[in-house]
Amino acid sequence: MKYFVSGSKSIFSLPESVIEVIDFFISLEAEFLVGDCYGVDAAVQKYLESKGYTNVTIYCSGESPRNNFVTGAKVHSCAEAAKGLTGSAFHYVKDIQMANDCDVALVIWDGKSKGSEKNIHRILDLNKKHNFFINGSLLWV
């Protein structure tokens, strides 16, 4: 099972209820698909590293990740697909790929981030199973 975790750049620590969800997916030996940004991406990577969990793939739009805190993580570069793109469009390439590749998604949203909001819509459009943590409330679907 592939579990896509993403979220807002403004969130630097994981709420306890999110940690419980991540621990549940660790217990299932899920592969975590995580981006390479600061904020939630980095916090999730650091948490997985603290647990010694290595079934992790870091997705990036460049040739190599901006952040990779997980020893032994695989890297999935979307550089070819992102070629010629700039700004947010450049970074959305990896998000689109992770949404397509996952079985289940967790989005941790501050209610403001456009990127996280787009990930929520992508997951819904793809009819993927999901958990959304929005402004302090975890919604299981």
Side-chain angles (χ1 to χ4, degrees):
M1 175 184 306
K2 294 182 179 186
Y3 193 58
F4 169 28
V5 184
S6 72
S8 304
K9 294 187 245 184
S10 66
I11 300 172
F12 292 95
S13 62
L14 301 175
E16 187 59 38
S17 56
V18 169
I19 289 172
E20 290 171 8
V21 172
I22 291 172
D23 285 343
F24 172 74
F25 280 92
I26 288 172
S27 75
L28 297 177
E29 299 180 0
E31 177 184 358
F32 284 81
L33 312 181
V34 185
D36 66 339
C37 194
Y38 55 92
V40 166
D41 289 356
V44 169
Q45 288 183 26
K46 289 175 182 177
Y47 181 73
L48 294 169
E49 174 68 11
S50 78
K51 301 291 278 185
Y53 198 75
T54 59
N55 192 8
V56 179
T57 301
I58 308 298
Y59 280 65
C60 59
S61 292
E63 292 293 332
S64 61
R66 296 170 288 178
N67 293 297
N68 181 352
F69 298 106
V70 182
T71 304
K74 297 177 289 263
V75 173
H76 182 99
S77 171
C78 300
E80 189 60 36
K83 195 173 192 172
L85 298 175
T86 60
S88 57
F90 175 80
H91 296 292
Y92 289 158
V93 169
K94 69 174 171 37
D95 292 338
I96 292 166
Q97 190 63 57
M98 285 187 286
N100 285 322
D101 290 351
C102 78
D103 300 304
V104 181
L106 169 64
V107 181
I108 307 158
W109 188 35
D110 63 5
K112 300 173 192 166
S113 164
K114 297 294 183 199
S116 296
E117 183 179 19
K118 286 181 184 290
N119 280 340
I120 288 170
H121 290 288
R122 275 186 200 100
I123 293 302
L124 292 172
D125 289 346
L126 291 167
N127 200 29
K128 300 276 181 145
K129 294 179 185 175
H130 56 275
N131 314 120
F132 298 146
F133 188 87
I134 302 171
N135 289 328
S137 297
L138 184 62
L139 309 172
W140 287 82
V141 180

